[in-house]
Amino acid sequence: MASSPAEMAIFERVAERGSFAGAAEDVSLSPSAVAKLITRLEQRLGVRLINRTTRRLALTAEGEIYLDRVREILGAIEAAESEIASAHASPRGHLRVHTFPVIAAHELAPALPEFLARHPHITFDFMVTNRSVDLVGENVDVSLRMGPLEDSGLVARKIVDLRRVVCASPAYLARHGRPAEPADLGRHACLTLSRNPGSASWPFRVDGELVRIDVKGPVSADSADMLLQLAIGGTGILRLSEHVVAPSIREGLLQPLLQDAQDPENLPIICTAAAGPSPGSQGEGLRRFPDRAPWLRTVANGR
């Protein structure tokens, strides 16, 4: 019997979150129910898809192949449903969107052309800044922000969790050596995000216990792109979300560090809007933007 789309979606969430508990939270099931579903799936396929240890879950080679095919199938289903929905409705409206520079540069700008081609009657005005904004006072329809939501008066929807990665350039590591354990970071130059609570205290797992390492270095900045370029240039070690550093890691400009000790602390991207009628003329566009924007799927898949 073939796997159902629902089973595939749950398997994908387990692979992305790295735990049954995390996936269970996303799909509104209990962790034991998710674990049993994966076990039944493996039994039906006759292969182990996920290696389980007390500390983490890791995909087997067969699991990696299955995950690639699952993403293709789920993406095809989403595309088919979107095309059918578009045949019966032409969303339109103007959206004033606030987002952080790192999201705008790395995710929105590359993916917006496809979204606009599919929804030509939706227009945007982007407010790109690291500061917090007053959605009502500044006439903002929707805000895409990182980190926990502090204002409980907003309507919020979590889009995806991003994993953060510690990394440095080959040039820096050649000059200063590679940290063998988290405590070694105390003698290294580390690059941190300023005006970001906790950015100079990096969490790790040592012997199963959460350990925070206080770091310091020659530069802090409120720009992830600036820190990225400094790290590539050999100035120090940095810890940023995976979608920011992944291209540089693939190109060999940065190398991930202390992967076995990484704490699975996730950085959520949250789509927020003011409660009640939106101050802008967003119309159907506000619903379609978080639901259909292709960059969200790109982020979720780590590409």
Side-chain angles (χ1 to χ4, degrees), residues 5-53:
E7 287 178 323
M8 294 180 185
I10 291 172
F11 173 80
E12 183 187 36
R13 294 315 304 151
V14 171
E16 295 296 335
R17 295 296 297 271
S19 72
F20 293 135
E25 179 183 338
D26 289 350
V27 300
S28 300
L29 292 174
S30 68
S32 62
V34 171
K36 290 177 181 177
L37 183 146
I38 297 300
T39 298
R40 289 196 300 269
L41 178 61
E42 291 175 324
Q43 290 173 344
R44 189 168 67 248
L45 295 176
V47 296
R48 180 175 290 275
L49 301 174
I50 298 175
N51 285 324
R52 302 144 170 91
T53 69

Side-chain angles (χ1 to χ4, degrees), residues 33-107:
V34 171
K36 290 177 181 177
L37 183 146
I38 297 300
T39 298
R40 289 196 300 269
L41 178 61
E42 291 175 324
Q43 290 173 344
R44 189 168 67 248
L45 295 176
V47 296
R48 180 175 290 275
L49 301 174
I50 298 175
N51 285 324
R52 302 144 170 91
T53 69
T54 56
R55 293 182 59 187
R56 59 183 297 186
L57 303 179
L59 293 180
T60 63
E62 292 82 1
E64 292 282 1
I65 294 171
Y66 187 71
L67 178 61
D68 287 341
R69 299 297 180 266
V70 161
R71 284 173 173 164
E72 292 174 3
I73 293 169
L74 294 179
I77 292 174
E78 180 183 351
E81 291 178 347
S82 179
E83 290 175 6
I84 295 299
S86 296
H88 294 278
S90 179
R92 61 187 64 241
H94 182 74
L95 284 173
R96 183 166 167 80
V97 179
H98 160 257
T99 191
F100 293 157
V102 65
I103 297 178
H106 289 269
E107 306 301 341

Side-chain angles (χ1 to χ4, degrees), residues 197-245:
S199 65
S201 178
W202 295 358
F204 295 92
R205 290 282 169 180
V206 178
D207 296 327
E209 298 293 328
L210 176 64
V211 175
R212 287 192 171 273
I213 304 297
D214 293 332
V215 300
K216 60 183 179 180
V219 178
S220 65
D222 66 354
S223 168
D225 281 328
M226 180 179 183
L227 296 182
L228 176 64
Q229 293 305 315
L230 287 170
I232 291 172
T235 303
I237 298 174
L238 87 167
R239 178 176 180 266
L240 290 177
S241 56
E242 188 174 28
H243 78 293
V244 176
V245 301

